[in-house]
Amino acid sequence: MVGTPCQMVAATKMDKLLDEEFPVDIKIGLFCMENFSYSYMKEMLKEYNVDIKDVTECRIEKGFAWFFLTEDRTVKIPLSKAKKCVRKNCTVCMDFTSELSDVSVGSVGSPEGWSTVIIRTEKGLKLIEAAEKDNYIQTKPIADSGLKIMEKLAKEKKSESKEEIKKRERVGRPVLYRREIFGDEYENEVSNCTFQDLKGDVVDIGACVLCGACVYACPEEAVAIKDRKPELVGKCVEGCNACYVACPRTYIPDEILSKEADNKPFGDYIKIVSVKAPMVKGQDGGVATALLTYALSNDMVDNAMIVDKSSTEPWKPEAKITDNIAEVLKASGTKYSACPIFKPLKESKEGGS
């Protein structure tokens, strides 16, 4: 699975806290400052006389949102202007580098054509070493100057989000995922929480990340994403709190995400390196795509969860599960908009595959 920090949180919670076996085995997290509303971005582009269907690639770098268009055209929009499209939930996220992944990948800190990779687990280390041995990727030490840039951005995100969290809580809008809570206390707090609690604590106050974890976790298919937010379309089973537990914006036990992480810009990790993938033409170093293709080609995983562009709505992100390497290569590149990444995983479960 490749995803953003909040999606890594959801995957980790479902793996560790739900009763059923969670099928995601390797988590590749992306560096992420914020995500954008697809509809707001579409309207913003109109102000620059750009039809979103003409966008072939989007990149956030050097203080601008760069939109590469058909016929070799390029439009750059100041990030200060593009910020009006940022989704509300992103402003309380304190994770820049996907701290709960096995491997984190981002462009910040490495030279052009390379990606920065943070290896966090033994599983992630095994993947990187094996991919390098088989020439899917190349690695080199990251420069101290690159680490300093990364640290500056990571600290800024934690600091700014902490201020936003304090601001929201002063006016009675709880930011539950940042509350310190442990084992028994956590179980007591969430034991009777239904979708209505999730709606009140997360959805109604603009904290939903639209990941689709609640849809995946619901054993009764009673939750669906409609009008860009989760809704109850069936009846909650008495005693079931799966949707509430799965959500990355409800309580997270300290055993999974310690609040001590606030003092670590990149969270816990084994090592940080610069990486590129010579065989893959992808964004920055093409590393996330190369790791997916390597894992599939060498039967480390059966399928990959990816985010491609919708075939019906231009540039709109669409999640899918595939074992087809050509599809993985086609989907390379960041989409910068929220996507219910766990939705196809639910469909796969229902289909018995």
Side-chain angles (χ1 to χ4, degrees):
M1 170 185 173
V2 176
T4 58
C6 53
Q7 293 166 351
M8 294 295 112
V9 171
T12 304
K13 290 184 73 178
M14 287 190 283
D15 182 38
K16 294 184 179 298
L17 301 175
L18 294 184
D19 291 335
E20 67 176 77
E21 183 179 357
F22 188 62
V24 172
D25 189 51
I26 299 175
K27 302 192 297 293
I28 301 174
L30 303 174
F31 291 12
C32 181
M33 285 299 286
E34 64 265 308
N35 220 327
F36 298 86
S37 161
Y38 174 78
S39 56
Y40 287 174
M41 189 187 299
K42 190 175 179 180
E43 291 304 310
M44 178 186 69
L45 286 171
K46 287 181 181 178
E47 297 176 26
Y48 290 81
N49 297 314
V50 173
D51 190 326
I52 199 167
K53 75 175 187 299
D54 294 329
V55 175
T56 60
E57 184 182 351
C58 175
R59 296 169 71 94
I60 307 294
E61 59 186 23
K62 299 176 181 176
F64 290 90
W66 300 76
F67 294 90
F68 299 89
L69 314 176
T70 54
E71 300 177 356
D72 293 325
R73 295 174 295 152
T74 303
V75 170
K76 67 175 185 176
I77 300 174
L79 203 50
S80 56
K81 171 86 171 177
K83 290 275 189 181
K84 73 176 186 179
C85 300
V86 171
R87 302 186 78 242
K88 287 181 182 179
N89 72 79
C90 293
T91 60
V92 297
C93 175
M94 296 179 63
D95 185 352
F96 173 52
T97 61
S98 288
E99 296 172 16
L100 292 184
S101 58
D102 294 299
V103 172
S104 302
V105 180
S107 62
V108 176
S110 289
E112 186 174 350
W114 293 71
S115 294
T116 299
V117 170
I118 304 177
I119 303 169
R120 302 186 180 279
T121 66
E122 290 299 325
K123 187 181 294 183
L125 181 62
K126 180 181 177 182
L127 173 62
I128 294 295
E129 290 180 341
E132 183 173 25
K133 182 181 178 181
D134 286 353
N135 299 314
Y136 274 71
I137 60 172
Q138 297 173 2
T139 72
K140 67 178 183 180
I142 189 168
D144 288 342
S145 58
L147 280 175
K148 288 178 182 178
I149 294 170
M150 284 173 58
E151 185 173 346
K152 179 176 181 292
L153 288 175
K155 285 182 175 179
E156 282 180 2
K157 182 169 185 180
K158 286 181 184 289
S159 175
E160 291 172 4
S161 295
K162 189 173 285 187
E163 286 303 310
E164 177 63 21
I165 289 169
K166 290 178 181 177
K167 178 181 173 183
R168 289 195 188 191
E169 297 225 314
R170 280 197 297 268
V171 296
R173 290 198 164 194
V175 183
L176 300 181
Y177 94 103
R178 295 307 306 164
R179 300 277 179 88
E180 191 170 60
I181 191 167
F182 297 88
D184 291 344
E185 182 187 1
Y186 169 79
E187 291 179 12
N188 291 334
E189 193 67 40
V190 305
S191 60
N192 295 313
C193 289
T194 66
F195 180 81
Q196 291 305 323
D197 296 291
L198 180 66
K199 183 174 183 296
D201 290 345
V202 177
V203 180
D204 289 347
I205 61 173
C208 174
V209 304
L210 206 69
C211 64
C214 54
V215 176
Y216 174 82
C218 179
E220 297 297 317
E221 300 175 32
V223 181
I225 292 178
K226 294 189 174 184
D227 297 325
R228 304 294 288 167
K229 64 181 180 180
E231 294 184 10
L232 192 65
V233 295
K235 185 178 180 181
C236 282
V237 175
E238 187 175 348
C240 179
N241 61 358
C243 64
Y244 197 89
V245 168
C247 177
R249 287 292 183 258
T250 58
Y251 300 100
I252 305 175
D254 201 70
E255 295 84 351
I256 290 179
L257 184 63
S258 170
K259 302 310 172 282
E260 292 180 6
D262 294 357
N263 302 317
K264 302 176 183 179
F266 315 132
D268 294 323
Y269 63 92
I270 296 172
K271 66 178 180 178
I272 303 176
V273 290
S274 289
V275 183
K276 72 174 179 179
M279 295 186 292
V280 176
K281 188 180 184 302
Q283 188 164 319
D284 305 310
V287 172
T289 301
L291 293 177
L292 286 178
T293 57
Y294 179 80
L296 282 170
S297 299
N298 290 273
D299 298 323
M300 294 179 74
V301 294
D302 299 316
N303 295 280
M305 292 172 63
I306 59 173
V307 177
D308 201 352
K309 290 178 285 189
S310 168
S311 58
T312 57
E313 296 185 69
W315 198 253
K316 188 173 183 178
E318 183 176 80
K320 62 174 64 173
I321 296 175
T322 183
D323 60 0
N324 188 317
I325 290 174
E327 282 195 311
V328 173
L329 294 170
K330 174 178 170 291
S332 65
T334 306
K335 310 305 181 292
Y336 293 107
S337 290
C339 177
I341 193 168
F342 296 108
K343 184 178 177 183
L345 197 61
K346 176 74 169 186
E347 293 167 351
S348 174
K349 181 167 67 171
E350 291 170 354
S353 60

